[in-house]
Amino acid sequence: MATYDSNSDLKLISDLRSLLAATLAKSDATLPDDIGKAATTAKALSEAEKAAIDARTQQRFEQKKVIFAALVPIVSMLTVLVTILVQYFQLKETHQLNESQIYEARRQNESMQWREFLDNLRTSSATIQSDPTFAPRLRSFFSSPIVGAQASEVAKRLMGNMANVLGFKDLFNMTFVEINSDNIEDAVDVGRILRNSLRLNDENCRVFYQRLEEGQRAKLNLDLDGSFCAQEVTEKAIRDAGLTSIEMARLLELKEIARNLISETQFLSEMIATWMRTTFPVGSQPSKETISLKGLRLDEADLSNVDFSSFDLSGVEFSWVTLDHAKITPRIYGEIPYFIQTKWWDADTIQPDLLDYLLRDRYPYHWDSSYPDGDVDRSTYQERISALCKPMRPNCTPSQLLFGTKEH
């Protein structure tokens, strides 16, 4: 397409106008020749102006054609895009509706299974402690986005009532993986429940022994002040005591529950002790917040080199625990910690008032007949107390120290 030159047309029109004006100025309006020239120039001017207008109109038309031709694919593309977007949102809405329906069906199904599981727990609470299928069934709910949080919480609460070591460890590893600052409170809760379960089982043993005849208790070599489910009592001794088959089965069941609960307590104790040794060794920075171990039983745990300055040790039971080079200066202990078969004097530092109590009521062989790492030597005990009593006090002098016998 030829390109219209508007400048040339404008120059031509201008020249014609100038010529017409000059012709009219020089000519005599009465002379035919002059009139003819003027008319010819005027006609040429008119034709030039018309041609210029037509050319501009044609040029605008051609420009619009080019623009429209360029817009056609863009408009087509936009149309396709809008169509795709409409289809996408329609499909998304349908997909979301399907997902919602699937999620609702899954929620209802898992909620129903969870309710059935809880109902089963309620109706079989008496046997749940020794049920080997309990942990796997509960664990199956852990990955659920619907009841997973509830299952985890139930696991923590019920773990302390399990009397199945393998099931306990399996459930522990699923719930905690490892002890850390975020879950120590939950782990301690489990430990407290375990301690209460041990007490309850011991009470059941006590009631059992109360119902036996005196001669039967004598043959079992236990009295009502002893450990009612002592593991030292053999099956042969139980048979020789003249128990009925039902009584034998009940006693063996109570002993098995006690054995499993103790093993679980020892496992949990070492898990907690490992975290304490790693997080709060002597010389480390104490925690800003008090960490409560209140009411916990720590059994056969290695607490060497632990700084207890961050802890509440109210009523904590240390049983057969190692405390070499520990710093026993708890931030809180409303109820005196209880040390059983534990060489507390192997610590490097003990809070003075707590030390006074231990010297008076927990001296070697006062109640205990054995300790980790063998017997206690009197001279070694005196040396350790001299190191702990700084400054030296009268009750710490060798002549004032209490020391029992292995037979009490």
Side-chain angles (χ1 to χ4, degrees):
M1 180 183 70
T3 303
Y4 168 68
D5 187 354
S6 61
N7 292 329
S8 298
D9 284 349
L10 291 175
K11 184 175 186 306
L12 175 62
I13 292 171
S14 177
D15 291 343
L16 288 173
R17 285 175 177 171
S18 299
L19 178 61
L20 179 60
T23 301
L24 293 174
K26 294 179 180 180
S27 63
D28 186 345
T30 60
L31 296 177
D33 289 341
D34 291 337
I35 293 172
K37 290 180 181 180
T40 300
T41 302
K43 181 181 179 182
L45 176 60
S46 175
E47 291 176 351
E49 288 178 340
K50 182 177 181 301
I53 292 172
D54 292 342
R56 284 196 299 271
T57 301
Q58 182 65 26
Q59 183 183 37
R60 291 192 186 97
F61 176 75
E62 292 297 333
Q63 287 175 342
K64 290 179 180 179
K65 283 177 62 179
V66 172
I67 293 172
F68 288 146
L71 287 176
V72 168
I74 296 175
V75 171
S76 300
M77 186 180 298
L78 289 173
T79 303
V80 172
L81 181 60
V82 169
T83 303
I84 292 174
L85 287 173
V86 169
Q87 292 176 346
Y88 168 76
F89 286 115
Q90 289 175 340
L91 289 173
K92 184 177 180 181
E93 183 177 356
T94 302
H95 180 67
Q96 287 176 340
L97 180 61
N98 291 337
E99 279 190 338
S100 176
Q101 293 172 341
I102 293 171
Y103 177 82
E104 180 61 23
R106 180 181 177 186
R107 187 191 68 79
Q108 292 180 1
N109 183 51
E110 290 192 355
S111 296
M112 181 182 67
Q113 293 180 12
W114 180 242
R115 286 193 300 271
E116 290 176 353
F117 178 76
L118 293 179
D119 289 341
N120 181 256
L121 288 183
R122 296 187 189 99
T123 56
S124 60
S125 58
T127 59
I128 192 62
Q129 289 186 350
S130 55
D131 181 3
T133 68
F134 169 71
R137 285 187 292 132
L138 179 57
R139 183 180 60 185
S140 66
F141 293 100
F142 276 23
S143 59
S144 168
I146 299 167
V147 298
Q150 297 178 53
S152 179
E153 190 63 28
V154 168
K156 296 170 188 177
R157 301 280 74 84
L158 296 182
M159 204 180 302
N161 291 311
M162 290 187 65
N164 179 277
V165 178
L166 291 179
F168 178 90
K169 290 182 178 179
D170 189 30
L171 194 54
F172 175 89
N173 290 330
M174 287 296 301
T175 306
F176 292 99
V177 182
E178 64 178 7
I179 303 297
N180 54 50
S181 299
D182 294 328
N183 61 28
I184 182 60
E185 183 177 347
D186 291 328
V188 171
D189 282 343
V190 173
R192 293 190 186 109
I193 300 171
L194 276 174
R195 188 179 184 184
N196 288 333
S197 296
L198 276 167
R199 289 171 173 169
L200 176 60
N201 192 66
D202 193 58
E203 175 63 18
N204 291 335
C205 291
R206 187 188 67 81
V207 172
F208 175 86
Y209 277 106
Q210 280 182 327
R211 293 173 179 173
L212 295 179
E213 297 177 359
E214 185 177 349
Q216 290 176 317
R217 292 199 298 268
K219 289 181 180 180
L220 291 171
N221 197 29
L222 289 174
D223 57 41
L224 295 183
D225 293 325
S227 178
F228 305 114
C229 282
Q231 302 303 310
E232 292 81 4
V233 180
T234 64
E235 290 188 32
K236 182 178 183 303
I238 294 173
R239 288 194 299 270
D240 293 343
L243 274 62
T244 66
S245 59
I246 295 177
E247 290 172 336
M248 283 186 59
R250 178 55 175 161
L251 179 55
L252 291 174
E253 178 189 14
L254 291 170
K255 283 167 58 64
E256 179 66 15
I257 290 174
R259 180 162 48 247
N260 283 316
L261 290 174
I262 290 171
S263 295
E264 292 162 9
T265 299
Q266 291 169 349
F267 170 80
L268 180 62
S269 296
E270 187 51 39
M271 293 297 101
I272 294 175
T274 298
W275 172 76
M276 293 174 70
R277 291 196 307 270
T278 303
T279 311
F280 296 102
V282 172
S284 62
Q285 186 71 24
S287 171
K288 293 182 180 179
E289 297 182 356
T290 300
I291 303 168
S292 177
L293 303 182
K294 184 177 181 180
L296 182 65
R297 171 173 171 158
L298 293 168
D299 195 350
E300 290 197 15
D302 181 6
L303 293 166
S304 300
N305 201 49
V306 171
D307 185 348
F308 290 91
S309 302
S310 301
F311 296 90
D312 177 359
L313 298 184
S314 300
V316 174
E317 181 179 319
F318 295 91
S319 177
W320 202 269
V321 167
T322 304
L323 292 166
D324 295 356
H325 305 296
K327 184 179 180 182
I328 310 178
T329 55
R331 187 173 294 173
I332 299 173
Y333 67 94
E335 181 183 349
I336 296 291
Y338 194 51
F339 294 83
I340 305 172
Q341 294 180 295
T342 295
K343 295 181 179 179
W344 50 264
W345 50 87
D346 285 337
D348 282 351
T349 308
I350 299 180
Q351 200 159 304
D353 54 348
L354 178 57
L355 177 59
D356 289 340
Y357 161 77
L358 295 172
L359 291 171
R360 183 180 66 253
D361 291 314
R362 297 308 307 174
Y363 55 83
Y365 301 117
H366 182 205
W367 294 106
D368 306 323
S369 59
S370 60
Y371 296 90
D373 303 323
D375 293 339
V376 181
D377 178 71
R378 184 188 294 267
S379 61
T380 302
Y381 176 68
Q382 292 174 348
E383 290 174 2
R384 291 299 313 136
I385 299 306
S386 295
L388 287 168
C389 264
K390 300 294 183 182
M392 178 61 70
R393 302 189 298 278
N395 62 332
C396 295
T397 58
S399 61
Q400 296 297 316
L401 287 181
L402 299 174
F403 196 94
T405 65
K406 193 169 184 178
E407 294 76 24
H408 312 319

